[in-house]
């Protein structure tokens, strides 16, 4: 696929971060896009911006969908085919994802399963729903977003990331398994797996929302102290301090990243155009991949592994 012009792409989680940038950049290159998100307002706004940047004839539609609910994914599929008057799609970016439930030991089961359901089942349901339409394209690409946490299952010392890593390993394994499956059974479709390092987005704030929590300013004392347990909080921190800490964590993660969402989306699109099946996003992701491959036994011995993740601002925050 040399160009996205005249194609139809599906982008999940298109209302923020890398998804919003994928929608904008695809549309700017003359690719029609159907974008969905949990958050109806943000995806509508992202589609409006993308439309204003797009050449004539490029259609960008916004849809509300929770990808962890198969019925909603099927409704999204039917809705977009009707609105784009199409019987196929050319590209599917399964990008929607959240963090949370870092600890299997400490965090609640419902939170753990919510994170896993979005990050794994969301990708699975989209593959089920859209594969026949990618086959119908005759030249389809399925692009699944994993993470460096798809090959390295921690955020560093004291920062387990269990639900997210389990799901992201599954996304990577599924995508790799599809390589031979598609080659054997549907050679008109290929698959790529995206593994970003730290990219500056609002994923911390969006994660809280996806877990049903209000903005930090409106959280109750119980909500905020459950979210940041005493052993992780600065000594003597009050609930108000914790609320401020959450706002700062999101801003810090977004504003101190080595790569912006726009830069990350450009890397992803270059990778897809080049035919790569494995798209590492950012120098931090490349270095970590090299380190873990070179010394798998040292993966969880942070001193031995090297300077990562100290080199990555925000790696000690909640996402990866
Ligand atoms: N930002 C990073 O550093 C980083 C690193 C590695 C991987 N990733 C992955 O990249 C992808 C994009 O993340 P981002 O950083 O741009 O985050 P983001 O929060 O800015 O964007 C994700 C979007 O997905 C939406 N979403 C969440 N749950 C959804 C659901 N159930 N159904 C539909 N939409 C849903 C959110 O509302 C949000 O608009 C995610 O899969 C994330 O896990 C991010």
């Amino acid at each position: 696929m040399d160009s996205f012009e005249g194609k139809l792409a599906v982008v999940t989680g298109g209302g923020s971060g890398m998804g919003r940038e994928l929608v904008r950049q695809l549309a700017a290159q003359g690719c029609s896009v159907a974008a969905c998100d949990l958050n109806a307002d943000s995806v509508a706004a992202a589609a409006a911006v993308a439309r204003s940047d797009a050449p004539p004839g490029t259609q960008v539609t916004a849809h509300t969908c929770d990808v962890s609910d198969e019925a909603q994914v099927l409704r999204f599929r039917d809705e977009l085919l009707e609105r784009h008057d199409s019987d196929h799609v050319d590209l599917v970016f399964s990008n929607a994802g959240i963090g949370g439930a870092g600890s299997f030991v400490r965090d609640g089961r419902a939170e753990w399963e919510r994170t896993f359901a979005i990050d794994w089942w969301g990708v699975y349901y989209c593959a089920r729903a859209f594969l026949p339409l990618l086959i119908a394209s005759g030249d389809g690409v399925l692009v699944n977003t994993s993470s460096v946490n798809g090959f390295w299952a921690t955020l560093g010392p004291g920062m387990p990331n269990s639900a997210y890593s389990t799901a992201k390993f599954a996304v990577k394994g599924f995508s790799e398994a599809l390589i031979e499956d598609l080659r054997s059974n549907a050679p008109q479709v290929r698959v790529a797996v995206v593994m970003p390092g730290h990219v500056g987005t609002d994923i911390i704030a969006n994660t809280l929302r996806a877990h049903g929590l209000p903005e930090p300013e409106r959280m109750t004392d119980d909500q905020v102290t459950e979210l940041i347990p005493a052993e992780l909080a600065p000594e003597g921190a009050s609930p108000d301090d914790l609320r401020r800490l959450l706002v700062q964590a999101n801003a810090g993660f977004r504003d101190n990243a080595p790569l912006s969402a726009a830069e990350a989306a450009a890397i992803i699109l270059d990778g897809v155009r080049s035919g790569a099946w494995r798209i590492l996003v950012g120098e931090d992701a490349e270095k970590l991949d090299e380190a873990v491959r070179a010394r798998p036994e040292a993966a969880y011995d942070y001193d031995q592994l090297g300077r990562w993740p100290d080199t990555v601002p925000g790696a000690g925050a909640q996402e990866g």
Side-chain angles (χ1 to χ4, degrees):
M1 192 177 282
D2 298 334
S3 153
F4 299 122
E5 198 178 344
K7 307 275 187 192
L8 172 57
V10 172
V11 179
T12 70
S16 173
M18 285 180 259
R20 178 170 59 199
E21 280 300 323
L22 286 169
V23 174
R24 193 182 65 74
Q25 294 181 26
L26 283 163
Q29 294 173 41
C31 181
S32 287
V33 184
C36 82
D37 205 285
L38 258 188
N39 185 330
D41 293 342
S42 70
V43 73
V49 169
R51 262 180 230 122
S52 69
D53 249 6
T58 311
Q59 205 194 346
V60 184
T61 56
H63 309 256
T64 309
C65 170
D66 180 339
V67 295
S68 69
D69 177 341
E70 187 170 19
Q72 291 192 37
V73 171
L74 295 175
R75 198 195 59 211
F76 168 46
R77 177 200 63 189
D78 294 347
E79 207 176 278
L80 80 87
L81 288 177
E82 197 182 323
R83 286 180 64 189
H84 287 262
D85 192 20
S86 183
D87 59 2
H88 70 276
V89 300
D90 303 297
L91 296 136
V92 174
F93 293 85
S94 250
N95 158 83
I98 63 165
S103 171
F104 183 73
V105 181
R106 195 193 64 220
D107 289 323
R109 178 167 174 164
E111 188 193 347
W112 204 98
E113 291 179 0
R114 174 82 177 130
T115 299
F116 185 77
I118 293 177
D119 292 352
W120 161 245
W121 290 108
V123 170
Y124 174 81
Y125 292 143
C126 287
R128 282 269 171 226
F130 291 111
L131 184 61
L133 300 176
L134 289 169
I135 291 173
S137 144
D139 183 19
V141 193
L142 175 63
V143 186
N144 293 328
T145 294
S146 174
S147 163
V148 292
N149 283 142
F151 59 81
W152 189 63
T154 171
L155 289 175
M159 293 286 169
N161 204 17
S162 69
Y164 187 84
S165 300
T166 307
K168 295 298 188 180
F169 268 68
V171 171
K172 179 168 178 285
F174 174 57
S175 306
E176 293 201 20
L178 281 182
I179 293 172
E180 186 54 40
D181 196 359
L182 293 172
R183 196 184 278 153
S184 306
N185 297 305
Q188 62 277 62
V189 183
R190 64 189 169 85
V191 63
V193 60
V194 174
M195 293 169 286
H198 181 189
V199 178
T201 71
D202 285 316
I203 190 169
I204 293 178
N206 290 329
T207 290
L208 298 177
R209 190 175 301 121
H211 284 292
L213 288 163
E215 308 285 300
E217 295 83 350
R218 291 192 295 112
M219 281 182 196
T220 63
D221 290 1
D222 281 352
Q223 283 172 327
V224 81
T225 46
E226 195 178 321
L227 205 61
I228 310 180
E231 62 272 21
L232 292 182
E235 213 181 310
S238 69
D240 272 342
D241 294 333
L242 298 180
R243 288 184 188 93
R244 271 191 293 276
L245 207 70
L246 277 178
V247 174
Q248 282 163 9
N250 185 61
F253 185 87
R254 184 192 57 219
D255 300 337
N256 300 322
L259 211 60
S260 69
E263 290 167 324
I267 292 171
I268 295 167
L269 293 180
D270 283 350
V272 171
R273 240 190 323 256
S274 76
W277 69 262
R278 183 172 201 279
I279 304 172
L280 288 161
V281 180
E283 216 178 299
D284 55 349
E286 284 170 20
K287 278 191 188 155
L288 184 62
D289 177 57
E290 248 176 57
V292 170
R293 281 169 183 278
R295 312 187 65 191
E297 278 295 328
Y300 303 104
D301 180 329
Y302 307 114
D303 288 336
Q304 272 200 57
L305 187 63
R307 289 195 326 120
W308 214 96
D310 297 346
T311 50
V312 182
Q318 292 188 358
E319 320 306 331

Short mmCIF file of all heavy atoms in Angstrom, two decimals, residues 182-204:
data_model
loop_
_atom_site.label_atom_id
_atom_site.label_comp_id
_atom_site.label_asym_id
_atom_site.label_seq_id
_atom_site.Cartn_x
_atom_site.Cartn_y
_atom_site.Cartn_z
N LEU A 182 -2.99 -15.34 8.02
CA LEU A 182 -3.44 -14.53 6.88
C LEU A 182 -2.69 -14.93 5.61
O LEU A 182 -3.28 -15.07 4.53
CB LEU A 182 -3.24 -13.03 7.17
CG LEU A 182 -4.11 -12.46 8.29
CD1 LEU A 182 -3.68 -11.03 8.63
CD2 LEU A 182 -5.59 -12.48 7.91
N ARG A 183 -1.39 -15.15 5.76
CA ARG A 183 -0.59 -15.56 4.59
C ARG A 183 -1.17 -16.84 3.98
O ARG A 183 -1.25 -16.99 2.78
CB ARG A 183 0.85 -15.80 5.07
CG ARG A 183 1.87 -15.86 3.98
CD ARG A 183 3.22 -16.21 4.60
NE ARG A 183 3.91 -15.08 5.17
CZ ARG A 183 4.80 -15.17 6.17
NH1 ARG A 183 5.10 -16.35 6.71
NH2 ARG A 183 5.42 -14.11 6.62
N SER A 184 -1.61 -17.77 4.85
CA SER A 184 -2.13 -19.06 4.38
C SER A 184 -3.58 -18.97 3.91
O SER A 184 -3.97 -19.64 2.97
CB SER A 184 -2.09 -20.11 5.49
OG SER A 184 -0.81 -20.21 6.03
N ASN A 185 -4.37 -18.16 4.61
CA ASN A 185 -5.82 -18.24 4.41
C ASN A 185 -6.49 -16.98 3.90
O ASN A 185 -7.65 -17.03 3.49
CB ASN A 185 -6.48 -18.64 5.74
CG ASN A 185 -6.03 -20.03 6.17
OD1 ASN A 185 -6.15 -20.98 5.41
ND2 ASN A 185 -5.48 -20.13 7.36
N ALA A 186 -5.80 -15.85 3.97
CA ALA A 186 -6.39 -14.60 3.47
C ALA A 186 -5.25 -13.68 3.03
O ALA A 186 -4.99 -12.64 3.65
CB ALA A 186 -7.24 -13.93 4.54
N PRO A 187 -4.52 -14.07 1.96
CA PRO A 187 -3.31 -13.33 1.59
C PRO A 187 -3.54 -11.89 1.13
O PRO A 187 -2.59 -11.14 0.98
CB PRO A 187 -2.70 -14.19 0.46
CG PRO A 187 -3.80 -15.04 -0.03
CD PRO A 187 -4.77 -15.23 1.10
N GLN A 188 -4.82 -11.53 0.95
CA GLN A 188 -5.11 -10.14 0.56
C GLN A 188 -5.14 -9.21 1.77
O GLN A 188 -5.38 -8.01 1.63
CB GLN A 188 -6.42 -10.05 -0.24
CG GLN A 188 -7.69 -10.50 0.45
CD GLN A 188 -7.92 -12.00 0.41
OE1 GLN A 188 -7.12 -12.78 0.93
NE2 GLN A 188 -9.01 -12.43 -0.20
N VAL A 189 -4.88 -9.76 2.98
CA VAL A 189 -4.86 -8.94 4.19
C VAL A 189 -3.53 -9.15 4.89
O VAL A 189 -3.00 -10.26 4.93
CB VAL A 189 -5.99 -9.34 5.17
CG1 VAL A 189 -5.99 -8.43 6.41
CG2 VAL A 189 -7.35 -9.28 4.48
N ARG A 190 -2.95 -8.07 5.44
CA ARG A 190 -1.78 -8.25 6.30
C ARG A 190 -2.04 -7.58 7.64
O ARG A 190 -2.99 -6.81 7.80
CB ARG A 190 -0.50 -7.74 5.62
CG ARG A 190 -0.47 -6.27 5.34
CD ARG A 190 0.74 -5.90 4.47
NE ARG A 190 0.62 -4.55 4.00
CZ ARG A 190 0.99 -3.47 4.66
NH1 ARG A 190 1.52 -3.58 5.86
NH2 ARG A 190 0.84 -2.26 4.15
N VAL A 191 -1.17 -7.90 8.60
CA VAL A 191 -1.37 -7.41 9.95
C VAL A 191 -0.09 -6.71 10.40
O VAL A 191 1.01 -7.07 10.00
CB VAL A 191 -1.73 -8.57 10.90
CG1 VAL A 191 -0.61 -9.59 11.00
CG2 VAL A 191 -2.11 -8.09 12.31
N ALA A 192 -0.26 -5.67 11.21
CA ALA A 192 0.90 -5.00 11.82
C ALA A 192 0.60 -4.80 13.30
O ALA A 192 -0.54 -4.55 13.68
CB ALA A 192 1.16 -3.66 11.15
N VAL A 193 1.64 -4.92 14.13
CA VAL A 193 1.48 -4.66 15.56
C VAL A 193 2.32 -3.44 15.93
O VAL A 193 3.49 -3.33 15.55
CB VAL A 193 1.81 -5.91 16.41
CG1 VAL A 193 3.24 -6.39 16.23
CG2 VAL A 193 1.52 -5.65 17.89
N VAL A 194 1.67 -2.51 16.63
CA VAL A 194 2.30 -1.23 16.99
C VAL A 194 2.71 -1.29 18.45
O VAL A 194 1.89 -1.62 19.31
CB VAL A 194 1.31 -0.07 16.76
CG1 VAL A 194 1.88 1.25 17.25
CG2 VAL A 194 0.92 0.02 15.29
N MET A 195 3.98 -0.95 18.74
CA MET A 195 4.46 -1.00 20.12
C MET A 195 5.08 0.35 20.50
O MET A 195 6.29 0.56 20.33
CB MET A 195 5.47 -2.14 20.27
CG MET A 195 4.80 -3.50 20.11
SD MET A 195 5.94 -4.85 19.96
CE MET A 195 6.57 -4.62 18.31
N PRO A 196 4.24 1.26 20.99
CA PRO A 196 4.78 2.57 21.38
C PRO A 196 5.51 2.51 22.71
O PRO A 196 5.14 1.76 23.61
CB PRO A 196 3.54 3.45 21.50
CG PRO A 196 2.39 2.68 20.91
CD PRO A 196 2.77 1.24 21.07
N GLY A 197 6.52 3.38 22.85
CA GLY A 197 7.09 3.70 24.15
C GLY A 197 6.24 4.82 24.74
O GLY A 197 5.01 4.83 24.57
N HIS A 198 6.89 5.76 25.38
CA HIS A 198 6.13 6.85 26.02
C HIS A 198 5.75 7.92 24.98
O HIS A 198 6.61 8.53 24.38
CB HIS A 198 7.00 7.46 27.13
CG HIS A 198 6.32 8.58 27.87
ND1 HIS A 198 7.00 9.37 28.77
CD2 HIS A 198 5.05 9.04 27.86
CE1 HIS A 198 6.16 10.26 29.27
NE2 HIS A 198 4.98 10.08 28.73
N VAL A 199 4.45 8.11 24.81
CA VAL A 199 3.93 9.11 23.87
C VAL A 199 3.03 10.06 24.67
O VAL A 199 2.22 9.62 25.50
CB VAL A 199 3.11 8.42 22.75
CG1 VAL A 199 2.52 9.46 21.81
CG2 VAL A 199 3.98 7.42 21.98
N GLY A 200 3.18 11.35 24.43
CA GLY A 200 2.47 12.36 25.21
C GLY A 200 0.99 12.45 24.87
O GLY A 200 0.61 13.04 23.85
N THR A 201 0.16 11.85 25.69
CA THR A 201 -1.30 11.87 25.49
C THR A 201 -1.99 12.01 26.84
O THR A 201 -1.35 11.95 27.89
CB THR A 201 -1.80 10.55 24.83
OG1 THR A 201 -1.70 9.50 25.81
CG2 THR A 201 -1.00 10.18 23.60
N ASP A 202 -3.32 12.13 26.79
CA ASP A 202 -4.12 12.22 28.02
C ASP A 202 -4.58 10.85 28.51
O ASP A 202 -5.65 10.72 29.10
CB ASP A 202 -5.34 13.12 27.77
CG ASP A 202 -4.96 14.58 27.73
OD1 ASP A 202 -4.18 15.01 28.60
OD2 ASP A 202 -5.42 15.29 26.82
N ILE A 203 -3.79 9.82 28.29
CA ILE A 203 -4.26 8.46 28.60
C ILE A 203 -4.54 8.27 30.09
O ILE A 203 -5.43 7.50 30.46
CB ILE A 203 -3.28 7.39 28.06
CG1 ILE A 203 -3.91 5.98 28.18
CG2 ILE A 203 -1.93 7.45 28.73
CD1 ILE A 203 -3.17 4.88 27.45
N ILE A 204 -3.85 9.00 30.95
CA ILE A 204 -4.13 8.83 32.39
C ILE A 204 -5.53 9.35 32.71
O ILE A 204 -6.35 8.66 33.33
CB ILE A 204 -3.04 9.51 33.25
CG1 ILE A 204 -1.70 8.77 33.06
CG2 ILE A 204 -3.45 9.53 34.72
CD1 ILE A 204 -0.53 9.36 33.82
#
